């Protein structure tokens, strides 16, 4: 369910000094492009001579919630106020059940490595990440995305990625000498393509392309399901990675809930066995509880 935010009440709660700083940020063109995340909205503020500041705002069970890494004592910082005002000006649809980044579960191993990373100097950490990104397309794309270097894909670029994904799916079972390893390898290659794709500014076109990739994997995964003794985990692993990208893009693009639900039903019904997108609860932030319940009963 969508809710509204009273910006005047928010500014009163923030105080004149914070609001003045927020107005200066907006006058300087910040934030640039807020991104929907978990039913709220997030952005990274970038200013010359200052470290980037990532902030998230949304409506949770506790009311208006803001999280910012500027580490100020105030609950409402200038970054949060400026982001909220910009999102309101852009007509952002606020969810009543947003999920802030701080409550998203982090795997213990990841949490441990976050602490390790925090103990390294910024220069050495940057070098370490750059060395790894030079050998990993997905990480390089994520790195460039976080730095704001990636532009939206052109129609020609989208068409090229579509051909690549189609060819990967087709070649996996073409000819007389293919085997199940070819199917697994194609699935992982498709995941890599969509994960790189998802680092670009999100659009409806990229969302539909990921749905195409999910349909193609649904068609291929049956071969591995039939050989479950050997490929017990791979179908769910590859399908789960595709679904994670799709959910991420849905939260960012915020498609019409009814249209999204209709497309999900069509994808699920078209799958010969199980569709990798057949997890309604994963779409809670986009469809809401009623939409998830309706989708569950329409399958």
């Amino acid at each position: 369910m969508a809710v509204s935010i009273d910006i005047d009440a928010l500014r009163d709660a923030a105080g004149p000094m914070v609001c003045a700083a927020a107005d200066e940020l907006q006058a300087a063109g910040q934030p640039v492009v807020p991104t929907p995340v978990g039913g709220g909205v997030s952005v990274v503020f970038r200013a010359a001579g200052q470290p980037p500041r990532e902030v998230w705002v949304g409506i949770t069970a506790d009311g208006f919630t803001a999280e910012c890494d500027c580490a100020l004592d105030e609950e409402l910082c200038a970054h949060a106020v400026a982001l909220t005002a910009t999102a309101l000006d852009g007509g952002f649809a606020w969810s009543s059940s947003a999920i802030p980044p701080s409550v998203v579960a982090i795997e213990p191993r990841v949490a441990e490595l976050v602490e390790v990373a925090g103990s390294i100097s910024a220069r050495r950490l940057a070098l370490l990440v750059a060395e790894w990104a030079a050998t990993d397309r997905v990480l390089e794309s994520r790195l460039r995305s976080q730095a704001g270097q990636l532009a939206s894909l052109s129609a020609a670029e989208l068409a090229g990625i579509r051909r690549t994904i189609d060819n990967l799916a087709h070649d996996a079972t073409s000819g007389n000498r293919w085997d199940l390893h070819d199917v697994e390898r194609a699935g992982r290659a498709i995941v890599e393509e969509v994960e790189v794709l998802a680092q670009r500014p999100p659009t409806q076109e990229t969302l539909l392309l990921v749905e195409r990739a999910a349909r193609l994997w649904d068609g291929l995964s049956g071969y591995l399901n039939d050989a479950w003794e050997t490929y017990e985990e791979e179908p769910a692993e590859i399908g789960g990675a595709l679904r994670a990208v799709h959910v991420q893009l849905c939260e960012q693009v915020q498609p019409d809930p009814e249209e999204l639900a209709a497309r999900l039903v069509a994808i699920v019904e078209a799958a010969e066995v199980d569709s990798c997108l057949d997890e309604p609860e994963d779409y809670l932030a986009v469809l809401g509880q009623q939409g998830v319940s309706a989708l569950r009963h329409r399958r």
Side-chain angles (χ1 to χ4, degrees), residues 170-182:
H170 174 267
D171 294 346
T173 57
S174 64
N176 298 320
R177 303 184 63 180
W178 67 273
D179 59 27
L180 294 178
H181 177 66
D182 295 323

Side-chain angles (χ1 to χ4, degrees), residues 113-258:
L113 292 175
V114 168
E115 292 189 10
V116 172
S119 67
I120 302 175
S121 71
R123 184 184 66 82
R124 289 187 177 274
L125 182 60
L127 179 60
L128 181 63
V129 173
E131 289 175 344
W132 190 257
T135 65
D136 187 315
R137 286 181 64 214
V138 176
L139 180 56
E140 179 183 359
S141 295
R142 294 181 65 181
L143 182 63
R144 293 188 182 280
S145 175
Q146 291 294 321
Q149 293 185 356
L150 298 183
S152 298
L153 290 164
S154 67
E157 289 173 321
L158 282 169
I161 296 173
R162 186 181 300 109
R163 284 193 299 271
T164 297
I165 293 174
D166 288 351
N167 290 338
L168 286 168
H170 174 267
D171 294 346
T173 57
S174 64
N176 298 320
R177 303 184 63 180
W178 67 273
D179 59 27
L180 294 178
H181 177 66
D182 295 323
V183 175
E184 179 196 0
R185 185 169 55 188
R188 296 193 185 281
I190 290 172
V191 167
E192 180 177 285
E193 291 297 326
V194 301
E195 287 181 341
V196 170
L197 171 71
Q199 302 311 312
R200 297 296 190 113
T203 65
Q204 179 74 8
E205 289 72 25
T206 57
L207 178 62
L208 295 176
L209 184 48
V210 172
E211 290 175 10
R212 183 185 186 92
R215 284 180 179 269
L216 291 172
W217 176 245
D218 287 345
L220 290 174
S221 62
Y223 294 105
L224 300 187
N225 286 325
D226 290 341
W228 59 269
E229 300 94 338
T230 305
Y231 294 94
E232 181 178 3
E233 299 178 355
E234 287 79 0
E237 179 185 342
I238 295 170
L242 289 171
R243 185 173 63 257
V245 173
H246 186 248
V247 170
Q248 171 193 324
L249 286 175
C250 284
E251 293 182 353
Q252 294 172 337
V253 175
Q254 290 292 306
D256 178 88
E258 292 186 2

